[in-house]
Structures are given as C-alpha cells and as structure tokens.
Amino acid sequence: MSGSQLDAAIVTLQSSELASSAVHPWTARLRYAYADALLAAGRENEAREWFAKALESDKDGATDASDRLAEMDGVEFVDAIDELDSSEDVVGIDDLDLDEADEADEVEQADDLDEEGLDEEVLADERDADDLDEYRDADDQDDDRDADDDREDDADRKS
C-alpha cells in the first residue's frame, strides 16, 4: 500500500466510534485495524497505544492484539511442541514408573489435609463464603435501616 493509501485508510478509520469509550462487538476489530494501519505507516508508538486499546476491548479474543503488542515489545513466542519433538530428553508413557507416580500423588494429597483429615483448601473456601455471607447480611441491615429512616423522614414531612 502506498503512503497516500495508508494515510487515506488512517483518516477513514478515524471516527467518533474509534475514540468512544463505549465498547461494541466491533470495537476491538476497529481499533485493531486502526493500529495495524498506523504500524504500516511507521507510527509505532501510536500503533502500540491502539493495539493496547484493541486488546482492552477484545473480550471475546476476536483479534490477536495481545500477540501484536508482545511482538512490538520484543517478546518472542516459542512453540513448545516443536521443542519437545526435537528434544532427546522426552519421556514416553512407557518410561514412567506408575507406582512411584501414585505414591507421589498420595503424599501430595496427604499434605493438603490438616490434622483432622480435612482438606485445607475446602476449609478456606468455606471461611471465605461465610465472610461474604456476614458482609451481605450486615449490608442488608444497613439498607433496611436506611429505608426505615427514609420512611420516617417522609412521615415527618407529611405531618
């Protein structure tokens, strides 16, 4: 694309929808296209800003804005599968001693239990749920008191 075509594309993409803080299903793609055009025009700093905005509005993962940002920041992605295939240290299922693996799992599970045989993670989750219930109950009581105060104020005004 020539310089004048890139400039025309950039100007065309500049719209109130592009700058809006509202997020629509197409917002991420619009911001991504704008960032891509800026990058093609050599405006890297602006492109990085708009790729970040595209990522921020891309709730469904419709774009690869995060990858583009990472590339601009110099992050290199390595395909772990390719590395494993070329590695000589790959352990196959036939090489595993399943009895040792089972013993290790049992030890790890035992470490997760407290003295009474209760799973500490489950207990922590239950404590968090109880704390949340107490907070909600207190908040509901505050709301009830506020409503009662409002009714009293209304009654005072009417009399």
Side-chain angles (χ1 to χ4, degrees), residues 5-49:
Q5 288 175 322
L6 276 173
D7 292 339
I10 290 169
V11 168
T12 301
L13 291 168
Q14 291 172 341
S15 63
S16 59
E17 291 87 3
L18 179 68
S20 173
S21 61
V23 176
H24 303 282
W26 42 263
T27 302
R29 292 187 304 278
L30 175 64
R31 291 175 177 173
Y32 183 92
Y34 185 64
D36 199 35
L38 289 169
L39 186 60
R43 295 164 58 180
E44 290 185 21
N45 290 338
E46 291 172 273
R48 189 186 187 299
E49 175 185 340

Side-chain angles (χ1 to χ4, degrees), residues 45-133:
N45 290 338
E46 291 172 273
R48 189 186 187 299
E49 175 185 340
W50 282 98
F51 277 125
K53 289 179 181 183
L55 177 61
E56 194 175 283
S57 60
D58 191 2
K59 305 299 180 206
D60 299 328
T63 70
D64 68 343
S66 63
D67 293 345
R68 297 292 295 271
L69 274 171
E71 287 173 17
M72 292 181 81
D73 290 341
V75 176
E76 289 186 39
F77 293 99
V78 178
D79 192 349
I81 303 261
D82 288 345
E83 281 195 5
L84 280 177
D85 289 344
S86 64
S87 174
E88 295 177 14
D89 297 330
V90 175
V91 177
I93 191 74
D94 296 333
D95 299 329
L96 294 177
D97 184 349
L98 296 180
D99 291 333
E100 286 180 21
D102 289 342
E103 288 174 18
D105 284 344
E106 289 172 10
V107 168
E108 186 176 316
Q109 288 172 355
D111 288 345
D112 290 342
L113 301 179
D114 68 1
E115 297 84 29
E116 297 171 13
L118 299 174
D119 189 328
E120 290 182 24
E121 274 188 50
V122 171
L123 292 173
D125 290 343
E126 288 174 0
R127 282 192 299 274
D128 290 346
D130 289 343
D131 290 346
L132 182 59
D133 287 342

